[in-house]
Amino acid sequence: MVRTRFAPSPTGYLHVGGARTALYSYLYARKHNGKFVLRVEDTDEERSSEEFLRLQLSDLKWLGYISDEGVEADTLKDIGPYGPYRQSERLSIYREHADKLLKEGRAYYCFLTDVEIDLQRKEAQRMGRPPQVSSPYRELPLKEAEKKLSNGEKAVVRFKVPDLTREFSFVDLVRGEVKFPSDMVGDFVCLRSGGMPVYNFCCVIDDALMKITHVLRAEEHLSNTLRQMMLYEAFGYELPQFGHLSIILGSDRQKLSKRHGATSVKEYRENGYLPEAITNFIALLGWSSPNAQEILSQKELVEQFSTERLNSAAAVFDEAKLKWMNAQYLRALPHQELWARLEPFFARAGLKLPQDPAWQDRSLSVYKTSIETLVDAIEHYRPLSQDAFIVYEEANEVLKWPTTKIVIEEWKRQLASQSDQYISEAQFLTVQDTVKNICKAKGKELFMPIRVAIVGKPHGAELKILVPLIEKKTLIERADIVLSKI
Ligand code: GLU
C-alpha cells in the first residue's frame, strides 16, 4: 500500500514550494489508492508555533489536499493508527532509538564543546579538509560516558558514520541514480545535549514507523538523504523510495524568495487567487501532463500524475501565467459560485451589494471578463455599493460650472419619469440625449455632471455599464446629494 507524507515545519506560512510538495504527495497517494499522511516537524521549539501550524493546515485544506492520517486541519488532533503525528510528542520514541544505537555502539555520547568543535572546523578549513568533527569520545565505553553524564557533563549523541570508504547510492524517483561517497559526512548529531532530536534522526524514525513508502520532498533535502540512509541501515528499517523535487526559481532565475513578490499560499489566497488555479499552476512546476494539457482539474491531475513525468530541471515560477490561469478558472465558474467566492472580499472591503441573485448574475456578466483575481472585482463593484456614495474633491470644479445644476436636475427628472426599477443601457443613452437637448449642454458640460451625479467624481468606470446596475431610486438619491452641494 502506497503511503506518502507531507511533513511541514510550523515555522512560517505555507510556501508555494511546500504546497507543491504536499500536492505531489497527495496526488501520488490518491492515484495509487494509498494514504496521505500529515506529520508535523516541530522539534525546533523556538521557531515553531501553534499559530503557524493552524495557518499551514488551513491553507492545505483550502487547497484541498486533505490528509487521511496525521494532524487534522480543523481540530489539530491526531487521526490514524501511527500517532502521535507531532514530533514534539514523540520524544520518548526518539530517545529509545538513540539508546538502542548507543547500546549497539552505533552511536556515542560526545562531550566536545562548541568552542572545541569550532577550533576543529577552522583547523580542517586551514588544511583544506572537509569540515568534519573528529571526536575523541568515539570509542569511549558507554558506561564511562554515562558516568560523566551523571556528573552533570553535557553531551550530544553522535551517530558513528559506518564505513568511510563505502559509497551509498539510491535511485531517486526524479533524478535517477544518486551516489554519495560516505566520507561526505562526519559523525553527525542525533540528539542535542538537551535531548532534543535533530531533523534527520526524527525523519527516519517517523517515516519508518509511519510506514511511509514514498518520500517526495524538496531538492534541498537531497544531501540529508545520505545521513538518513545510514540511519535506516543502522535501525534495519526498509528504505522508502525518495523523490527530490526540482528547485523553484523566480522569473530572474534566482531561487524563489520574498524578493519576487508573494511566495506564501496565504498571500495568494488573500490576493484573490482560486485554490483550483494555484493547484493547477504548481502541479506544472516540475511536472507535465502526458498529453501536454495546461488546464487540469484536481481529478485529472490524480488520473495523470506519475513520478516519471517529474522533471529534475529547475522550474520557473511565472506569476503572469498564474494570473492568466486564475482568470481562466474564475471565468469558468458558474456565477452563483463565483459570487460566493467574491462575497468575503466584498465584505472585507466594506461593500454593500444587492442580495438579489438576478442582479448578481447580471453584474458578473458585465465584469467577469475584466477581472483576473477576486480582488480585482472590488474596484469594479465599489461604485455599486449601496452606501458608498460620496462626492469627491475632484468633483468640486464641475460643481462650479453654471450648467451643472440644470443638467443634474434634468437628469434626475428624466430618471424619475422611467418606470422600471433599473434603467437599461439603451434607456440611459436616451435619457442622456434628452438631457442634452433640453439643457443645451454637450461634451464635458453634459457628461461630467452626470458622472458626478452617479459616481461622485468626474472620471471612472464607463457609465453605460454602471448605470444599468444601480437602482433608479439610488441614482435619484445620489443626484440629490450632489445637488445639495451646489
Ligand atoms: N520538515 C521538513 C521541511 O519542512 C521536511 C523534510 C522532509 O520532507 O523530509 O523541509
Side-chain angles (χ1 to χ4, degrees):
M1 145 99 97
V2 164
R3 290 176 59 84
T4 64
R5 50 52 160 197
F6 179 54
S9 302
T11 53
Y13 299 119
L14 180 66
H15 186 270
V16 287
R20 182 190 62 169
T21 303
L23 171 63
Y24 289 170
S25 306
Y26 169 80
L27 292 176
Y28 196 77
R30 282 289 85 86
K31 161 114 189 194
H32 297 279
N33 293 318
K35 297 271 186 241
F36 173 54
V37 179
L38 195 125
R39 176 173 79 234
V40 177
E41 304 210 322
D42 58 351
T43 53
D44 184 341
E45 290 170 297
E46 262 167 42
R47 293 174 57 229
S48 300
S49 81
E50 188 84 357
E51 181 60 5
F52 280 134
L53 174 60
R54 206 180 48 72
L55 289 169
Q56 287 205 22
L57 296 188
S58 128
D59 282 344
L60 283 172
K61 184 176 173 187
W62 177 73
L63 287 167
Y65 318 158
I66 313 286
S67 58
D68 305 296
E69 267 176 43
V71 180
E72 200 273 324
D74 292 328
T75 58
L76 301 190
K77 292 220 166 74
D78 281 348
I79 295 183
Y82 299 102
Y85 290 94
R86 290 189 202 209
Q87 291 186 330
S88 59
E89 292 170 12
R90 300 172 61 81
L91 299 183
S92 60
I93 300 174
Y94 307 131
R95 182 72 243 180
E96 276 163 32
H97 279 75
D99 285 341
K100 184 167 182 285
L101 294 183
L102 285 164
K103 267 196 206 99
E104 292 169 354
R106 292 173 190 269
Y108 59 93
Y109 283 110
C110 173
F111 296 87
L112 281 175
T113 61
D114 289 349
V115 177
E116 288 169 322
I117 290 173
D118 215 39
L119 276 177
Q120 272 201 19
R121 291 231 162 93
K122 288 208 175 100
E123 176 64 9
Q125 210 174 15
R126 208 173 55 82
M127 306 289 286
R129 279 189 279 117
Q132 291 165 4
V133 174
S134 151
S135 174
Y137 303 98
R138 205 170 198 257
E139 303 306 333
L140 186 73
L142 183 56
K143 284 263 169 302
E144 285 179 42
E146 282 169 348
K147 211 178 291 162
K148 281 163 87 67
L149 286 173
S150 59
N151 288 338
E153 288 189 50
K154 295 252 167 292
V156 300
V157 174
R158 253 182 222 286
F159 183 74
K160 220 182 250 182
V161 169
D163 179 350
L164 291 175
T165 55
R166 215 180 95 202
E167 210 175 54
F168 279 75
S169 75
F170 74 100
V171 180
D172 188 275
L173 291 166
V174 184
R175 23 208 94 231
E177 188 172 28
V178 178
K179 287 187 184 153
F180 302 108
S182 68
D183 62 359
M184 217 176 96
V185 297
D187 291 355
F188 56 86
V189 176
C190 299
L191 298 189
R192 296 195 183 88
S193 60
M196 227 20 180
V198 304
Y199 155 71
N200 281 311
F201 193 63
C202 308
C203 180
V204 167
I205 296 167
D206 293 347
D207 283 340
L209 297 186
M210 294 177 186
K211 305 216 176 341
I212 301 302
T213 57
H214 295 76
V215 170
L216 299 177
R217 63 183 170 203
E219 183 183 81
E220 67 205 38
H221 289 294
L222 190 56
S223 60
N224 287 319
T225 307
L226 171 57
R227 292 183 185 84
Q228 297 188 6
M229 286 172 75
M230 291 176 175
L231 287 167
Y232 273 103
E233 191 177 85
F235 291 127
Y237 288 144
E238 200 184 323
L239 216 58
Q241 285 203 268
F242 292 104
H244 289 88
L245 308 171
S246 61
I247 188 168
I248 303 178
L249 304 177
S251 44
D252 57 357
R253 305 213 123 248
Q254 300 295 311
K255 189 168 188 242
L256 187 68
S257 75
K258 277 265 142 231
R259 278 182 307 110
H260 296 100
T263 52
S264 70
V265 171
K266 178 174 177 283
E267 285 166 285
Y268 282 102
R269 185 175 174 174
E270 286 169 359
N271 293 345
Y273 286 79
L274 305 181
E276 304 92 308
I278 296 179
T279 293
N280 191 155
F281 177 75
I282 60 179
L284 298 177
L285 290 176
W287 176 83
S288 55
S289 144
N291 44 37
Q293 234 173 297
E294 282 278 297
I295 299 285
L296 297 106
S297 66
Q298 191 162 311
K299 188 164 164 280
E300 288 170 307
L301 286 173
V302 170
E303 281 159 11
Q304 298 187 18
F305 188 77
S306 73
T307 53
E308 283 84 52
R309 298 196 63 84
L310 288 173
N311 193 338
S312 61
V316 175
F317 191 96
D318 178 355
E319 247 197 280
K321 181 171 172 188
L322 171 56
K323 204 170 214 186
W324 169 82
M325 213 171 246
N326 201 57
Q328 306 306 306
Y329 274 93
L330 198 140
R331 288 167 200 169
L333 285 178
H335 286 181
Q336 218 182 344
E337 171 71 26
L338 177 54
W339 190 264
R341 308 239 195 160
L342 285 166
E343 261 179 333
F345 287 86
F346 290 149
R348 223 168 302 138
L351 306 192
K352 291 210 173 47
L353 298 165
Q355 296 299 306
D356 171 14
W359 182 90
Q360 293 165 354
D361 180 55
R362 196 154 60 83
S363 71
L364 286 175
S365 306
V366 173
Y367 291 121
K368 194 168 63 168
T369 49
S370 357
I371 60 176
E372 291 180 297
T373 68
L374 298 173
V375 165
D376 287 347
I378 296 172
E379 286 321 304
H380 288 293
Y381 278 86
R382 199 181 290 285
L384 303 174
S385 180
Q386 282 154 345
D387 58 358
F389 188 72
I390 54 165
V391 184
Y392 294 85
E393 254 183 57
E394 336 159 25
N396 285 349
E397 156 133 28
V398 178
L399 297 185
K400 285 188 209 132
W401 297 346
T403 43
T404 296
K405 190 171 180 205
I406 50 165
V407 167
I408 298 181
E409 275 172 348
E410 193 52 40
W411 158 248
K412 196 184 129 187
R413 202 169 302 130
Q414 290 303 321
L415 282 175
S417 70
Q418 305 293 317
S419 52
D420 300 335
Q421 187 185 2
Y422 289 94
I423 65 169
S424 66
E425 179 181 334
Q427 282 167 323
F428 166 66
L429 294 176
T430 316
V431 165
Q432 204 168 241
D433 252 8
T434 314
V435 176
K436 175 179 162 184
N437 294 336
I438 293 179
C439 301
K440 310 258 176 295
K442 56 179 195 295
K444 264 175 30 174
E445 290 191 337
L446 173 72
F447 299 124
M448 290 206 174
I450 293 181
R451 185 177 286 279
V452 170
I454 297 166
V455 292
K457 54 187 173 188
H459 306 283
E462 228 186 317
L463 293 186
K464 64 178 200 267
I465 292 176
L466 213 53
V467 167
L469 291 170
I470 305 178
E471 259 190 283
K472 190 186 69 188
K473 80 172 181 3
T474 307
L475 289 171
I476 294 175
E477 280 161 19
R478 290 183 178 190
D480 275 333
I481 294 174
V482 177
L483 286 171
S484 73
K485 304 212 177 273
I486 299 177

